[in-house]
Amino acid sequence: MAGVTKISIEEQVKAIMFGAEFGDSSIGGVMARELHDRLVESAAANRPLRVYAGYDPSKPDLHLGHSITLRKLRQFQDFGHQVIFLIGTFTAQVGDTSDKSKGRPRLTEEQVFAAARTYAEQAFTILDRQKTIVAYNHEWLSKLTMPEFASMASEFTVQQFLVRDNYQKRLEANNPIGLHEFLYALLQGYDAVYLRADVQIGATEQLFNILAGRKLQQSFGMRPCVCITYPILVGTDGKMRMSKSSGNYVGLTEPPEEQYGKVMSISDETMLEWIKYVTRWPVPEIEDRTRRVKSGELHPMKLKKELAREVVSLYHGEEAAERAERHFETVHQERQLPEVAAELQIEEPVSILDLLARVKGVKSRSDARRLLSGGGVKLDGQVVEKPEYLVAANCIVQVGKRRFVRVRFVPVSKGAL
């Protein structure tokens, strides 16, 4: 395994298991020992481990929550192992409700494939493109026969599903549980079989599904994979899980200023959680920074700036991180307008509503109306609330806290053809 990061197997295990959570400490201990043994065998045989994580494309954008497992995949790559980035083009049509208090709407094939279109490119902001296998599980799950599926289903009991915490809560609340929801664990489990996985990683809420993969591998006469799970990242609000639908996310491909500003908006408590999962910092550095903040040696604002800069540099580069930092300091700390902003040219007076409809990031005219009525739009620093307000001169329009547009008014000459 040429070009492999040369650190001891014990250090590799510590790096990979850092931040892992299983809900059961006994499982964590077993998996750590199994991972160590697999790494020893891999080194002795000079055979890289096959490691994968699956991502269901229910939404088109990956965010920092997804980056937790993507960063762990990258660690495996750096240690010389074979990584499979699995896009759940079939499982997404079934829908995983492991973390849900009720069933989720079924997605169509068209919706899933539309969302999946850019997943790999977004993942390559973290993963090494040359060392990553991209796979789509519709290619094998859609071909399973009924006898094959019935055989897999016979490995499980209904009781094993019903004792799961979220199903128990739904039963107590008299919320319906779709029969198809039970099938998801089998489908995800078969991914591990088909991919001949040595290691599968995922979110803590998916532990049941991942363990199903271990069980199915055994039933197929295979050595069961090592299962490693990590917690779901809390969003920028510090309360709910990060998700695009909740609006508390930091997208991997969002503009640098957006990413930096969102990171700076989180609480100190949330910051200490994030640094464990969304940075490239070595474990000893993370532990040292955490200790210094808690002891008062390091000011939380300084660490938060370091975190914001790290996040932006990860996805846009160091120069973009420097610009984003200057932008934040100018606009939010010094209360000045930014030197650099996206430019929008108008040739005749337009209403602020029509102007906002042309601003990138404003989803629709109704979204523009909502921003105006909520006081979220400023023109040269002054709040504008009336949708009919006419913009007829050069100005800076601020949308929300972090988006700025420089409007250039270039009237068309009356004599022009």
Side-chain angles (χ1 to χ4, degrees), residues 60-317:
D61 298 320
L62 296 177
H63 52 63
L64 283 185
H66 298 107
S67 78
I68 295 178
T69 49
L70 286 170
R71 301 226 70 80
K72 293 299 178 178
L73 288 178
R74 179 56 190 253
Q75 283 183 331
F76 273 107
Q77 287 183 325
D78 291 342
F79 297 153
H81 300 287
Q82 188 175 62
V83 159
I84 303 167
F85 176 72
L86 176 63
I87 302 177
T89 41
F90 191 91
T91 43
Q93 296 177 57
V94 177
D96 185 14
T97 55
S98 297
D99 63 327
K100 304 295 181 184
S101 59
K102 59 182 179 180
R104 64 197 309 168
R106 295 283 310 282
L107 297 176
T108 66
E109 182 177 335
E110 291 74 19
Q111 288 174 313
V112 168
F113 278 86
R117 195 167 294 126
T118 63
Y119 259 41
E121 285 301 315
Q122 293 177 68
F124 291 144
T125 59
I126 297 174
L127 300 179
D128 186 325
R129 184 189 299 267
Q130 304 304 319
K131 299 178 181 178
T132 304
I133 297 172
V134 180
Y136 301 82
N137 65 12
H138 74 277
E139 294 179 359
W140 55 86
L141 292 180
S142 63
K143 297 174 184 176
L144 281 173
T145 65
M146 185 57 71
E148 289 173 323
F149 202 80
S151 177
M152 288 193 296
S154 69
E155 297 291 329
F156 302 89
T157 67
V158 172
Q159 288 88 336
Q160 287 175 308
F161 285 83
L162 292 181
V163 295
R164 297 178 69 184
D165 185 58
N166 72 317
Y167 287 155
Q168 281 290 312
K169 290 178 179 177
R170 288 167 65 182
L171 286 170
E172 292 169 5
N174 201 30
N175 287 333
I177 302 173
L179 184 59
H180 70 285
E181 296 179 55
F182 288 174
L183 308 181
Y184 189 93
L186 275 67
L187 294 169
Q188 182 173 332
Y190 187 72
D191 286 341
V193 173
Y194 186 87
L195 295 172
R196 296 176 287 109
D198 294 303
V199 181
Q200 181 183 175
I201 64 177
T204 305
E205 98 242 341
Q206 292 187 328
L207 182 59
F208 182 90
N209 302 336
I210 297 175
L211 290 174
R214 266 175 78 93
K215 187 174 181 63
L216 285 180
Q217 283 182 309
Q218 288 177 299
S219 73
F220 276 82
M222 302 170 63
R223 187 179 182 182
C225 65
V226 178
C227 302
I228 312 174
T229 55
Y230 304 90
I232 292 174
L233 194 68
V234 68
T236 53
D237 56 1
K239 299 175 182 178
M240 300 173 63
R241 61 176 289 169
M242 183 176 287
S243 72
K244 189 171 184 182
S245 58
S246 298
N248 62 352
Y249 72 103
V250 179
L252 300 189
T253 57
E254 281 191 292
E257 292 77 16
E258 288 278 325
Q259 289 182 337
Y260 193 99
K262 285 184 176 182
V263 174
M264 292 302 297
S265 74
I266 65 177
S267 68
D268 295 346
E269 183 181 13
T270 300
M271 170 188 68
L272 292 178
E273 278 298 300
W274 280 25
I275 64 172
K276 294 189 292 187
Y277 300 110
V278 304
T279 71
R280 294 166 294 190
W281 301 339
V283 173
E285 284 189 25
I286 293 172
E287 293 174 335
D288 181 62
R289 282 178 161 102
T290 301
R291 178 191 61 77
R292 289 165 59 208
V293 166
K294 290 183 176 180
S295 68
E297 296 175 48
L298 177 62
H299 196 286
M301 177 61 77
K302 186 176 187 302
L303 179 56
K304 199 174 294 183
K305 282 191 169 185
E306 292 175 356
L307 173 60
R309 187 163 178 151
E310 165 71 359
V311 168
V312 176
S313 66
L314 274 169
Y315 304 107
H316 297 285

